[in-house]
Amino acid sequence: MKIEFTPGYWADRLEENANHAIFHQWEQLEKSGCIDNFRIIAEGKQTFRTGWFFADSDAYKWLDAAARIYARFPQARLKVLMDELIALIAATQQADGYIYTYNQIHFPDVRWQNLQIEHELYCHGHLIEAAVSHKLATDEDALLDIAIKAADRLVADFMEAGPGSTPGHQEIEIALLRLYDLTENRQYLLLAQHFLEQRGRVGFFPSLILRENASVEARTARRDHAKQEYIQTHPDYETAKLPGTNAAEKPRGIQQRFMLNALTGRYMQQNRTIRHLTEPAGHAVRFTYLQTAVAMLLRETGDSTLLPALEKSWDRMVQKRMYVTGGIGSLPMIEGFGRDYELDPKFAYTETCAALGNMFWNWEMTQITQDAKYADLLEWQLYNAAHVGMGTEGTTYFYNNPLTCKGGVTRKAWFEVPCCPSNLSRTWGYLDQYLYTADADGIWFHQYVSGKVADLNAFSFAVEAGLPYAGLVTIKVKAAPGGEQTLHLRIPSWAETYTLMLNGQPLDETTDMRPAEVDTASGYSPYDAFYLPVRRVWQKGDVLSLEFDLPIWARRTDPRVASTTGKVALTRGPLVYCLEDVDNPGLDIHTAEIKLDTLSVQEGEGDLAGVPLIMGQTADGQPFTALPYYLWGNRGPSEMTVYVKPA
Ligand code: FUB
Ligand code: ZN
């Protein structure tokens, strides 16, 4: 199958990703010293290692994103940068396959210590993922050879290891399963399975994590001492001053809750075995990477005993622990889940990576179940909780994404922990992989993105999608296999009504198959989505047109979400809206009461040209403007709120 994006919403963003974001990220990796960490080992460069112990992963994630982008935008300058980094990695890797600059530079005789905290396996995981993407994009083996050496090292060191030797930050499992998919080397599948099956079986986790924490503190102190000594002899040495996360307001007692999360293993999902992890808990990125890997393992092995916990934890997350943007992570510090209905917009952490991890998981669940709720949430996060993470120029980012802000939250060029930017870029780089699946019965349309699709189950077709701003989607058949085939069209949860025409004639399939309603804490319910089967003998030249109505929706949270009782979030189609003070001079957006019967849609101008804005009046007759949430924070420091009070 080959997909070519055609002019439209996503073609523009993918261009921006390829022409700006990926090169900006490389510049920031250089400026922050991340690439020099490899040069210290590979070339004896005289400088001091910078960044967290997991900094290698930022270079690998960039390489992963660059490879995926290169497959579609084969830019010579991108190839040069990739080859330069691959050569550095090759020269850094040790003969037996191990590679982790933090140990190689500071603690050369130490390995696999503090696996719950220090990210060695996480870093090897992003290296392996980058190698798989690079092989698929270039058919070159340079990076894949490095990854296979590393993976074989892990097989040798961990295949017989116990529960305490499972990673505190999941990622290696996803990587090994991708490497298995590419190489068909069963050892990698077995090691991923081993890591997953061993989780949650540490006898007494507090003693392990306290021991590791003491060791991490001691190693950090030794590193800091060495740094001070280095600065003594190199007074001109300086490192880039990088911002941490944005000003996130913290609920009372968060420090204690974090400590308890860490001590019990809940933070890194070490408190339950995978078949018993039915509650979304702990760090949200770790949780979604874990569930993605478990779902991938289920797809590879057919082990259906893995499915119930995946479904139960997904349902509880969506029904009780997810914000209206599709964001997950109610609490700073934990960067993760709170209690059921604990969804205060001002504490919302909803890290960009968590939304991306949730999209990866949704995609695996889509392929396992073909239940439309998963593709619906993937779309909702694509346009809201993930999309908000990247600024309109592709060169500024959010790490945490509050749903209300009274200042102090601004987009940044980079972060001290720059995990989100390249995670976004690599996901955009694989957008084509989340759109369609095919089976003996026909084609499944999970997302609607303008593009030409060739030879998917002998089908070729062109899609023109007006989403997310307009509701018309047309599918023009260019070639079709003989015999009856079914096109399964996802009818989104947000499309209460729609019309379906074939070659200009209404189709009688528009019987409503809407599933039974499922209430959710946020008021966004992916459970309303379904696949509409349209079965016939398709001919070249057939034109299906699907027109979704895009009414403005005032979504109320469940009354058990105390912080937003009596307020609404405005949405239209797959977009969540917010009020930003820069569009509402003279209005206190945090206390304004809006009249829902005055709402209308008007196209924006200037910076917001072409964007459908929601306009209306407040109770005291003042005009107000709402814009798509993903677009906030692009015009300098501002205040914002997703939730508004209806008059
Ligand atoms: O743990 C390092 C980074 O922090 C990971 O990439 C994300 O989980 C982020 O929260
Ligand atoms: Zn991140």
Side-chain angles (χ1 to χ4, degrees), residues 61 122 285 289 351-354 356 398-399 417-421 423:
K61 240 190 292 190
Y122 174 86
V285 185
Y289 279 23
E351 180 179 345
T352 304
C353 286
L356 296 169
F398 279 143
Y399 182 109
V417 179
C419 48
C420 302
N423 216 359

Side-chain angles (χ1 to χ4, degrees), residues 129-285:
E129 278 217 75
V132 173
S133 302
H134 185 263
K135 173 66 177 174
L136 293 172
T138 64
D139 199 24
E140 294 173 4
D141 292 326
L143 189 57
L144 183 60
D145 291 346
I146 295 168
I148 285 172
K149 260 173 77 175
D152 292 346
R153 173 80 272 125
L154 300 182
V155 168
D157 292 355
F158 287 95
M159 195 63 98
E160 307 301 325
S165 297
T166 53
H169 195 313
Q170 301 82 345
E171 156 59 25
I172 186 63
E173 306 87 345
I174 294 174
L176 288 166
L177 287 165
R178 284 192 67 198
L179 187 61
Y180 165 67
D181 227 24
L182 178 71
T183 63
E184 297 182 352
N185 178 337
R186 229 176 129 64
Q187 287 301 304
Y188 305 143
L189 168 65
L190 294 174
L191 182 56
Q193 188 171 42
H194 175 76
F195 278 134
L196 292 170
E197 293 290 2
Q198 285 295 305
R199 281 198 91 73
R201 298 179 192 277
V202 173
F204 185 59
F205 192 78
S207 58
L208 172 63
I209 199 71
L210 287 172
R211 190 169 64 244
E212 283 209 11
N213 193 53
S215 167
V216 169
E217 286 181 349
R219 284 156 54 90
T220 306
R222 279 176 54 195
R223 189 276 313 272
D224 292 347
H225 178 71
K227 185 171 182 177
Q228 289 316 312
E229 286 185 328
Y230 184 83
I231 292 171
Q232 298 287 332
T233 50
H234 302 78
D236 56 348
Y237 171 79
E238 59 175 1
T239 53
K241 295 280 170 286
L242 292 169
T245 59
N246 268 302
E249 291 195 45
K250 295 183 175 61
R252 265 174 332 119
I254 187 64
Q255 180 79 29
Q256 292 77 357
R257 290 177 74 176
F258 172 70
M259 294 302 288
L260 201 56
N261 250 258
L263 273 175
T264 57
R266 195 179 159 83
Y267 174 83
M268 58 280 277
Q269 299 82 33
Q270 288 280 23
N271 60 325
R272 290 278 182 283
T273 57
I274 52 177
R275 288 174 186 76
H276 296 94
L277 187 66
T278 56
E279 176 196 1
H283 188 278
V285 185

